[in-house]
Amino acid sequence: MSDPQAFRAIYESHHAAICAYFARRAARDEVEDLAAETFTVAWRKLPRRLEHPLPWLYAVAGNVLSNHRRKARRKGGFAPDPATGDPAERPNSDRGLAQAFAHLSAREREAICLVAWEGLSHEDAARVVGCTPNTFTVRLSRARKKLARELDPAVHAVAEAI
């Protein structure tokens, strides 16, 4: 990006959201480093005219996190801190939710997280994951139904029988 003032405005507007994104997905001591790496990529590659930079930044953050996890696995050091990352996986969280969430695929979890945790619209979340809004809406709907089935299989079985 060639305009330092425009970049600074984007950084100031979205730094907290990017840190929150990482805080829900990584160890506490890695959040600032991952956010810094995300904004480093943004400085180099942010499109000149981007009406809504946050979805683009989330997509970059997702790539940064994937690369970070890949590197950690290669080094044999990938062990998520139970006090950070996915709230459904935290020890003090609802065990039923944690188990139900664990049965979702990574794509299904990400669809739910982008809408529920990051507060993105379907259109913006679709930009993050690289699909059309309609495809994202279908993906999210399926993920929600699967989560509901996992949370209360008895209720779902009765509903399907009716």
Side-chain angles (χ1 to χ4, degrees):
M1 172 166 239
S2 59
D3 184 354
Q5 288 179 336
F7 180 79
R8 183 178 181 91
I10 289 170
Y11 177 86
E12 289 175 353
S13 295
H14 301 300
H15 180 261
I18 295 302
C19 285
Y21 175 91
F22 286 123
R24 288 187 282 271
R25 293 166 174 83
R28 225 171 271 150
D29 62 341
E30 298 172 331
V31 169
E32 282 297 329
D33 289 341
L34 293 168
E37 189 173 341
T38 299
F39 282 100
T40 299
V41 171
W43 174 255
R44 290 191 323 262
K45 297 186 177 185
L46 188 69
R48 286 184 185 195
R49 296 182 194 262
L50 190 60
E51 202 170 314
H52 303 288
L54 188 58
W56 185 87
L57 288 168
Y58 281 141
V60 171
N63 291 334
V64 165
L65 186 60
S66 292
N67 290 337
H68 173 73
R69 288 178 174 166
R70 220 177 351 268
K71 287 176 191 173
R73 264 188 296 237
R74 272 189 295 232
K75 291 179 183 176
F78 183 68
D81 179 349
T84 61
D86 181 353
E89 296 172 355
R90 292 182 186 160
N92 298 331
S93 70
D94 181 316
R95 292 283 181 215
L97 176 59
Q99 290 174 347
F101 209 69
H103 283 99
L104 300 178
S105 70
R107 288 174 72 174
E108 291 165 335
R109 284 192 301 270
E110 187 65 5
I112 289 172
C113 292
L114 287 171
V115 172
W117 293 347
E118 312 311 337
L120 295 181
S121 68
H122 292 199
E123 185 175 292
D124 286 344
R127 283 189 200 116
V128 172
V129 299
C131 67
T132 67
N134 288 341
T135 299
F136 181 82
T137 298
V138 169
R139 184 181 297 176
L140 179 63
S141 176
R142 289 178 180 162
R144 285 177 172 164
K145 285 178 186 174
K146 186 173 177 181
L147 183 62
R149 263 194 320 272
E150 294 293 335
L151 284 170
D152 202 342
V155 170
H156 184 71
V158 169
E160 282 188 349
I162 296 176

